[in-house]
Amino acid sequence: MEIASLPISASQRAKLISAGYNSISSLSSVIPAQLARDLGVSENEAIAILKVASQRGGVERPHESHLAIVNGAQSAWDMLHEEEACKRITTSCSDLDDILGGGISCKEVTEIGGVPGIGKTQIGIQLAINVQIPVGYGGVEGKAVYIDTEGSFMVERASQIAEACIKDMQEYDHFLRKDLPGCQAKLTSNDFLANINYFRICSYTEQIAVINYLDKFISEHPDVKVVIVDSITFHFRQDFEDMALRTRLLGGMALKLMKLAKKFSLAVILLNQVTTKYSGGSFHLTLALGDSWSHACTNRIILYWNGNERCAHLDKSPSLRSASAPYSVTGEGIRNSASSCKRARIT
Amino acid sequence: MNPESLLRPHPLPTHTPKCTAGCPILDGFLHGGIPCNSITEIVAESGCGKTQLSLQLLLTAQLPIALGGLSASSLYLHSEFPFPFRRLQQLAFSHPSLRNPLDNILIHPLHSADHLLDLLSRIDSALIKPPPQTRFPIKLIVIDSIAALFRSEFDNNPSDLKRRSGLFFKISSKLKAQARRFGLAVVVTNQVTDNVSSSDGMRIGNSGWLYSSGRKVCAALGLSWANCVNTRLFLSRNDEIIGEDDGDILSTRTRRYISVVFAPHLPKSSCEYVVLREGLFGVNNSGAIVVQQNEL
């Protein structure tokens, strides 16, 4: 786009052209002081010209990506690179990691729902431990925020899962780093527990307050790489007379969590309960909080029983196809299902 | 607003306080007993011993912490009448180390779900400052049974069911908040319903293996309530034929099992138990029971 089309005075236009500024895009990377020097005008005038140019430039896209004009935008190419660099948190169950593209993705909100006893809290505790796996072992080496609304978080269980995680790391040392003496994992299960920031929430107002506070908390603790809410649902199922209010509160909370995930590139895990829904003449199970909530999360994983085996189904994801994988809950935490070793893999 | 440390001070930094069940085998099965700060539900059909177990907990809660108790008084809210005083007294005899154990048990009847909710919002002062006749603070609340409150009052129509599940979450939220604030162990008993629709693929919890008296059963009050409890234990009984002679059954024996349906800290497992005059006791693999006399 030509300078001639800018709504500025003829003398300014002439000065711009004679100084070599032929197109609006050539103005995009110039700072006011330099422009003032080149044109021999006051700095205020130069600022005014740049302002007009940037307004114009915003309407019609320039040919090259000029971040100064389209402020805050990012090209899809850059985003792809960023996503490739973004690490994933393993679930300790390789079948489950496979359908998730390597684990729970940082920067995104993932909802996990299922019936009582299917292992939602177990997955929550497992992720709070796994986020701490050191980079040398392929982990993220971050800290966790655990927001417990139901009171199901048991310290001894977390300690047990942490012990198993340490054992796995020691085995890894043993097999792959035999020749490196003294390269033992020095972590203890208490170190793991100390890196979990635990909030126990007893009402929905507290829940909203803590989620609003997270932004400040994580700014002060930038090594937090996962936020787990167990469960997002519980306090919102006590009879809310005003369902519209509930939808608004939940929507606001989801937006804040999404922003948090993006801003600090951390994973947000929301655990959800199930409820029965009447449609098409029969009842079936569905995740709680209704249809509008189902838009709130980027990824959605549904846990269900398949006979006597626990299964996870990736129900919604922007980049991965939906798929199911069996898993099991063992003394050591979440692991591959025993039957999946025997099963012939057909892909 | 600050996160709390998961590491508690000495002596057991990574242990949730628990109330012993009064038997080393059951304690081993439950990893120490009934956990504080959360709700434990005991599901069973009638005659399995859920009231027995809850009465026993009223006494074991008074044991000193060194013996696995909470050294605490307890509050017993009952909706099934009459309250079994004689049985409680009988059980108290098997705890000779406790001084006037019945003084430390507060009993209150419940008439409806709203009554329970009203009561829960009024007991905070008693939880802060224990009533004068008891020697210990209250650390255990038993509700026997939650099902009886809900099974009569509500119709099977959408508006009643909605009101019912709203009440579940209110009661549970209140109990959990109190459990958390005062470090209480909360025990709730529940009844069972027959599971008639077995093949529609809808499974609630691990209901596949809830078998009692040869019937397929699941916990009463449905899915919403299942979301309200932290730990669900299931007591079952099954009659076993012993000594069969030419097809004539000579005698039968009842075998009772306690199983974990779901719990954040326990694996899916089960343990046999017996109900004796002295209380409820676990049976180990070799068929022996351990009756302990705790001396102070």
Side-chain angles (χ1 to χ4, degrees):
Chain A
M1 205 164 89
E2 293 305 310
I3 291 293
S5 67
L6 280 183
I8 50 175
S9 73
S11 67
Q12 285 175 334
R13 205 174 299 149
K15 279 177 186 166
L16 277 170
I17 292 168
S18 63
Y21 294 100
N22 294 318
S23 64
I24 291 180
S25 56
S26 65
L27 284 171
S28 62
S29 52
V30 180
I31 58 163
Q34 195 195 339
L35 189 66
R37 221 173 26 249
D38 287 353
L39 303 187
V41 296
S42 73
E43 204 161 313
N44 283 343
E45 202 178 335
I47 291 172
I49 293 171
L50 286 176
K51 206 168 168 188
V52 171
S54 74
Q55 277 166 0
R56 235 346 129 85
V59 179
E60 281 171 59
R61 295 290 294 265
H63 296 295
E64 299 126 57
S65 69
H66 287 294
L67 297 179
I69 294 178
V70 194
N71 215 350
Q74 223 180 345
S75 75
W77 178 253
D78 292 340
M79 286 168 77
L80 181 67
H81 271 281
E82 236 169 65
E83 196 184 300
E84 278 167 357
C86 163
K87 285 202 168 166
R88 286 171 182 268
I89 304 166
T90 173
T91 57
S92 288
C93 165
S94 57
D95 289 345
L96 193 52
D97 282 352
D98 281 350
I99 67 164
L100 295 172
I104 301 288
S105 109
C106 290
K107 280 193 139 178
E108 283 177 9
V109 178
T110 305
E111 180 185 21
I112 302 176
V115 292
I118 191 82
K120 301 184 292 290
T121 300
Q122 301 297 323
I123 290 181
I125 297 175
Q126 183 78 58
L127 290 171
I129 298 294
N130 283 358
V131 74
Q132 301 177 42
I133 296 175
V135 175
Y137 296 88
V140 180
E141 201 169 338
K143 290 184 177 173
V145 167
Y146 201 102
I147 301 172
D148 184 9
T149 66
E150 299 199 11
S152 284
F153 185 93
M154 288 274 178
V155 188
E156 50 254 68
R157 185 63 183 139
S159 164
Q160 219 174 27
I161 291 174
E163 299 278 0
C165 182
I166 292 165
K167 226 177 94 202
D168 284 354
M169 289 196 291
Q170 280 167 350
E171 251 166 53
Y172 177 83
D173 274 341
H174 186 71
F175 284 119
L176 294 160
R177 301 181 180 178
K178 255 182 271 187
D179 40 331
L180 289 172
C183 194
Q184 287 286 319
K186 284 176 227 67
L187 290 164
T188 67
S189 63
N190 285 4
D191 295 332
F192 275 93
L193 293 182
N195 285 334
I196 300 175
N197 297 290
Y198 177 81
F199 293 92
R200 175 77 173 90
I201 298 304
C202 289
S203 72
Y204 78 89
T205 40
E206 270 181 55
Q207 189 174 332
I208 293 167
V210 84
I211 283 168
N212 289 341
Y213 169 68
L214 277 182
D215 189 74
K216 183 168 175 285
F217 182 81
I218 295 170
S219 310
E220 288 162 7
H221 301 80
D223 42 2
V224 169
K225 284 288 162 236
V226 69
V227 173
I228 299 150
V229 187
D230 176 14
S231 67
I232 195 88
T233 332
F234 181 73
H235 294 299
F236 286 91
R237 292 188 76 180
Q238 307 175 41
D239 55 357
F240 255 86
E241 297 298 330
D242 186 354
M243 290 309 264
L245 173 70
R246 186 178 98 158
T247 308
R248 276 204 305 281
L249 289 175
L250 284 167
M253 214 156 61
L255 270 181
K256 281 200 187 93
L257 288 167
M258 239 181 240
K259 222 167 111 188
L260 218 59
K262 194 100 192 115
K263 186 172 167 192
F264 299 102
S265 34
L266 49 81
V268 175
I269 310 291
L270 305 178
L271 303 181
N272 196 356
Q273 302 174 341
V274 293
T275 182
T276 45
K277 186 182 178 182
Y278 185 77
S279 73
S282 68
F283 286 97
H284 59 254
L285 288 178
T286 179
L287 296 194
L289 301 180
D291 286 336
S292 57
W293 173 255
S294 62
H295 299 288
C297 299
T298 316
N299 301 289
R300 185 170 238 203
I301 301 167
I302 295 173
L303 308 177
Y304 63 97
W305 286 101
N306 182 15
N308 277 320
E309 191 173 55
R310 291 176 161 95
C311 278
H313 177 72
L314 183 65
D315 188 50
K316 179 185 167 191
S317 162
S319 55
L320 298 161
R321 66 195 179 94
S322 52
S324 300
Y327 68 98
S328 64
V329 179
T330 67
E332 288 89 43
I334 308 291
R335 291 292 183 268
N336 271 347
S337 172
S339 68
S340 74
C341 310
K342 294 173 231 154
R343 195 189 56 203
R345 293 255 191 137
I346 307 155
T347 40
Chain B
M1 199 184 281
N2 277 316
E4 60 187 279
S5 171
L6 292 175
L7 299 169
R8 290 190 182 80
H10 209 64
L12 294 168
T14 61
H15 266 255
T16 311
K18 299 211 177 83
C19 174
T20 171
C23 155
I25 295 166
L26 285 181
D27 280 351
F29 168 71
L30 295 171
H31 293 199
I34 303 293
C36 292
N37 309 325
S38 67
I39 303 181
T40 304
E41 183 189 45
I42 301 171
V43 182
E45 63 169 329
S46 61
C48 277
K50 50 183 194 294
T51 301
Q52 301 289 324
L53 183 56
S54 35
L55 292 179
Q56 189 163 325
L57 289 169
L58 299 178
L59 297 163
T60 56
Q62 298 175 36
L63 291 169
I65 290 161
L67 294 176
L70 299 172
S71 80
S73 311
S74 42
L75 177 63
Y76 189 92
L77 305 170
H78 65 108
S79 59
E80 287 173 0
F81 296 93
F83 178 78
F85 289 105
R86 277 166 186 274
R87 181 60 178 142
L88 181 63
Q89 198 179 21
Q90 196 180 31
L91 287 172
F93 285 132
S94 61
H95 289 275
S97 64
L98 297 173
R99 193 156 52 87
N100 300 334
L102 301 187
D103 284 355
N104 297 317
I105 298 170
L106 304 168
I107 296 156
H108 201 284
L110 288 177
H111 302 292
S112 71
D114 290 306
H115 183 209
L116 170 61
L117 201 59
D118 177 50
L119 202 71
L120 288 178
S121 51
R122 285 190 288 115
I123 57 172
D124 275 6
S125 59
L127 293 172
I128 295 164
K129 191 178 173 297
Q133 70 268 32
T134 61
R135 281 184 294 137
F136 305 120
I138 297 170
K139 282 279 161 70
L140 171 70
I141 295 183
V142 179
I143 300 174
D144 183 24
S145 73
I146 192 85
L149 296 176
F150 285 99
R151 290 187 101 171
S152 54
E153 203 185 321
F154 294 87
D155 252 346
N156 194 7
N157 61 47
S159 73
D160 263 25
L161 287 175
K162 188 166 172 289
R163 192 163 71 90
R164 193 178 85 148
S165 75
L167 267 174
F168 288 161
F169 282 94
K170 262 189 181 168
I171 289 172
S172 156
S173 165
K174 186 78 193 153
L175 279 171
K176 281 179 178 174
Q178 280 170 339
R180 150 82 179 164
R181 187 168 161 212
F182 301 104
L184 306 176
V186 178
V187 175
V188 170
T189 67
N190 193 358
Q191 302 167 352
V192 298
T193 57
D194 279 295
N195 194 352
V196 279
S197 55
S198 55
S199 58
D200 64 351
M202 194 156 110
R203 292 189 55 185
I204 294 165
N206 295 9
S207 57
W209 49 280
L210 293 188
Y211 279 97
S212 190
S213 296
R215 295 180 300 146
K216 193 172 181 184
V217 296
C218 61
L221 305 183
L223 180 62
S224 302
W225 176 253
N227 281 314
C228 291
V229 298
N230 299 111
T231 301
R232 174 170 277 179
L233 303 174
F234 179 64
L235 306 183
S236 63
R237 53 181 286 177
N238 281 301
D239 290 330
E240 202 171 73
I241 299 157
I242 47 167
E244 211 165 339
D245 183 33
D246 293 336
D248 293 330
I249 297 162
L250 293 179
S251 65
T252 62
R253 176 167 79 127
T254 306
R255 299 191 78 164
R256 298 160 193 270
Y257 289 93
I258 177 167
S259 319
V260 176
V261 182
F262 57 80
H265 62 304
L266 299 174
K268 172 180 156 179
S269 54
S270 53
C271 169
E272 191 175 354
Y273 70 93
V274 289
V275 182
L276 306 175
R277 192 169 55 87
E278 293 83 10
L280 205 130
F281 295 95
V283 179
N284 67 14
N285 293 332
S286 52
I289 62 164
V290 183
V291 181
Q292 260 185 339
Q293 291 295 339
N294 291 320
E295 293 302 335
L296 284 176

